[in-house]
Amino acid sequence: MRTIKLTDNDCTFVHYVLRMYAQQTPGLDQEDKDEIREVAAKFK
C-alpha cells in the first residue's frame, strides 16, 4: 500500500466531502452513514 501526505486543506476537503456524501446519497442506511462519518472524522 502506498502512503501519501495530505495538506491541512486536503484533509479538510476530504472531511467535508465524505460528510456531504453520507448526507446526500440516497439508499444509504444509518449504519452506512455512521461508518462514512467515522472515516470522515479521521481527516478532521
Side-chain angles (χ1 to χ4, degrees):
M1 183 187 312
R2 195 171 101 175
T3 301
I4 61 170
K5 294 187 179 197
L6 299 175
T7 66
D8 288 340
N9 288 337
D10 294 337
C11 289
T12 300
F13 176 77
V14 171
H15 173 78
Y16 284 107
V17 167
L18 286 173
R19 287 181 53 91
M20 188 183 311
Y21 177 80
Q23 204 171 36
Q24 296 182 358
T25 302
L28 295 177
D29 62 19
Q30 190 60 43
E31 185 178 331
D32 293 335
K33 292 178 183 181
D34 291 343
E35 288 179 12
I36 293 168
R37 287 185 187 116
E38 284 179 27
V39 172
K42 294 178 182 182
F43 288 92
K44 189 171 184 187

